[in-house]
Amino acid sequence: MTLRFPSPNTPKCFAFSTLAGALLLSLLVGCSDTSNSSGDTGTAGDDILMNQVQYLGTHNSYHVRARQDLFDVLLSFIPDLAPTLDYSHIPLQEQFDTQGIRQIELDVFDDPEGGLYANHRARRVFGDEVASGIAELDEPGLKVLHVQEIDYETTCYTFVSCLEEVKAWSDANPRHLPITVLVEVKDEAIPDPLSLGFVTPLPFGIDALNRIDAEIRSVFPREQLLLPDDVRGDFVTLELAVLSRGWPPLSQARGKIMFALDNTGSPREDYIAGHTSLEGRVLFTDSPAGTPEAAFMKRNNPLSNPGDIESLVELGYMVRTRADADTEQARTNDTTQRDAALASGAHFISTDYPVPNPEFSEYQVTLPGGGVARCNSVNPGTCNPDFL
């Protein structure tokens, strides 16, 4: 069934009157004068469009810092790169619960036969057994880690197990604001200066991209997903839909999970091939304006092209940016990029520091006023902060 939702300019009470009978309660509450609703449990204000809100996210949300002995070796061999790996995140469900995170990022490696990442060969430097002994890593399926052999610690080892964490939390909190999962595919080989036998990742081709969709669908039922087809509806292209009608209201987006592909280049083109406007696909793509698939965009540095993010947000695209990168801002307590990200109107503000690392500084990224979301400063539309 095609989802239909009101124009962003439609008055609130009239907008709800066009929804199906299942949303009658939202109609009655949303058009009343009073509400005690707020945050992830609310119904009032659910005519707010999901792109009229700003959410907090984490970068490499699964990542756990390498063990100290290995980290010391990395500092010796790659002194410029190792410090950028010096961060950790708590498990996904805890991020949702205690840090207000509503956008996460997962890196995936193809492993269709299983076992490709079950050995950690860098442990040979210490005379340790290389077999991880982690049963999940022997199973076929996409694996979640940052850099094979040297930066592989994670709170969830497989893509499916990470998604099951998301689903468990979502099921327990069915009125939550939509969660967005950014997926980055990885297949880059790395140097092996000590000839330890580092594994070479499999190329991430069309079959592997199809497995991303398949593994997502194996965890989430159709009704729990927010797909490009839902946003496009009856419009000719996905881009036309978001620029003219806009994104779904929270009445339709609460409790749903949205996925997006982090990569551009060949992975993006392979994923789109045969699926104009992402018809039938699960992931949105970081596609440029003027293409049928353009809806979600990634602008990692809000300082690199002043005004760019604001313009995209005003037009109706959803944008993800980063408040910090490579531990630099946390080490110096530099809030310049963080403040620019928050002010840009980007919908997803990604950070490695939803809480400070006291070994670095007091640097932290939270949404002004607290909470899991706030009205978008560039495109607030009908958003009322009392409902968030």
Side-chain angles (χ1 to χ4, degrees):
M1 178 180 69
T2 299
L3 298 176
R4 300 178 185 276
F5 40 89
S7 161
N9 298 317
T10 305
K12 175 164 61 178
C13 294
F14 176 78
F16 277 122
S17 71
T18 65
L19 299 176
L23 298 175
L24 180 58
L25 181 59
S26 295
L27 166 62
L28 296 175
V29 176
C31 295
S32 67
D33 293 331
T34 61
S35 170
N36 59 5
S37 302
S38 64
D40 279 350
T41 61
T43 54
D46 274 6
D47 55 337
I48 299 168
L49 304 189
M50 59 184 290
N51 66 313
Q52 294 170 348
V53 178
Q54 190 173 66
Y55 311 85
L56 187 64
T58 47
H59 160 255
N60 290 346
S61 310
Y62 58 88
H63 186 265
V64 176
R65 181 186 185 274
R67 287 182 248 177
Q68 189 61 49
D69 57 357
L70 178 55
F71 191 79
D72 289 340
V73 170
L74 297 179
L75 281 172
S76 298
F77 280 88
I78 46 174
D80 293 333
L81 177 61
T84 71
L85 310 177
D86 191 4
Y87 63 95
S88 290
H89 289 296
I90 59 178
L92 299 178
Q93 293 196 55
E94 295 179 33
Q95 293 184 41
F96 300 144
D97 261 336
T98 68
Q99 298 176 345
I101 299 303
R102 294 296 178 269
Q103 182 259 307
I104 62 172
E105 179 184 343
L106 302 174
D107 293 346
V108 295
F109 288 75
D110 191 25
D111 188 15
E113 296 182 4
L116 196 58
Y117 301 98
N119 294 324
H120 298 153
R121 294 168 181 83
R123 301 305 307 174
R124 286 179 174 148
V125 172
F126 312 103
D128 293 346
E129 173 62 51
V130 301
S132 68
I134 300 168
E136 284 181 274
L137 295 179
D138 288 319
E139 299 173 1
L142 301 167
K143 302 300 186 294
V144 173
L145 65 147
H146 189 223
V147 183
Q148 67 278 14
E149 308 292 3
I150 64 170
D151 193 31
Y152 48 78
E153 301 288 354
T154 172
T155 61
C156 45
Y157 297 102
T158 69
F159 190 46
V160 165
S161 66
C162 292
L163 299 183
E164 288 173 342
E165 289 288 308
V166 177
K167 187 176 189 301
W169 188 89
S170 178
D171 290 346
N173 299 271
R175 291 293 300 163
H176 66 78
L177 291 170
I179 292 173
T180 298
V181 181
L182 192 61
V183 181
E184 181 175 358
V185 304
K186 295 284 196 76
D187 60 7
E188 184 178 358
I190 61 171
D192 184 6
L194 299 180
S195 300
L196 299 175
F198 287 177
V199 66
T200 299
L202 298 175
F204 221 103
I206 293 176
D207 287 345
L209 291 166
N210 290 338
R211 282 193 285 275
I212 294 177
D213 281 13
E215 292 196 5
I216 292 170
R217 291 184 184 277
S218 75
V219 173
F220 294 99
R222 171 66 180 86
E223 62 270 15
Q224 205 167 1
L225 297 172
L226 179 66
L227 303 179
D229 287 341
D230 299 329
V231 177
R232 187 182 71 255
D234 295 331
F235 279 77
V236 176
T237 70
L238 179 58
E239 182 183 50
L240 184 59
V242 300
L243 296 186
S244 57
R245 179 184 56 195
W247 289 77
L250 294 182
S251 59
Q252 294 183 10
R254 285 186 182 274
K256 291 187 181 291
I257 316 299
M258 168 178 154
F259 289 83
L261 182 65
D262 183 271
N263 307 74
T264 55
S266 296
R268 178 183 66 194
E269 301 315 308
D270 287 344
Y271 189 77
I272 292 172
H275 300 270
T276 303
S277 281
L278 299 171
E279 182 176 2
R281 281 303 201 184
V282 175
L283 282 68
F284 290 80
T285 52
D286 176 15
S287 294
T291 61
E293 298 76 29
F296 164 85
M297 296 182 183
K298 185 174 53 117
R299 297 291 188 272
N300 281 335
N301 189 344
L303 298 172
S304 62
N305 189 3
D308 179 41
I309 294 176
E310 290 90 334
S311 297
L312 295 172
V313 171
E314 288 173 347
L315 287 170
Y317 303 106
M318 291 195 80
V319 182
R320 178 260 195 181
T321 194
R322 293 183 64 178
D324 43 74
D326 299 332
T327 75
E328 292 180 7
Q329 289 78 11
R331 293 178 188 276
T332 60
N333 197 21
D334 182 356
T335 63
T336 305
Q337 183 170 328
R338 179 196 72 182
D339 296 344
L342 290 167
S344 71
H347 304 90
F348 310 110
I349 310 298
S350 180
T351 179
D352 286 320
Y353 302 96
V355 296
N357 179 348
E359 295 184 5
F360 291 166
S361 74
E362 62 184 19
Y363 177 85
Q364 180 181 15
V365 181
T366 58
L367 295 177
V372 300
R374 69 166 183 164
C375 294
N376 192 291
S377 60
V378 173
N379 180 24
T382 62
C383 187
N384 184 330
D386 292 340
F387 300 147
L388 296 174

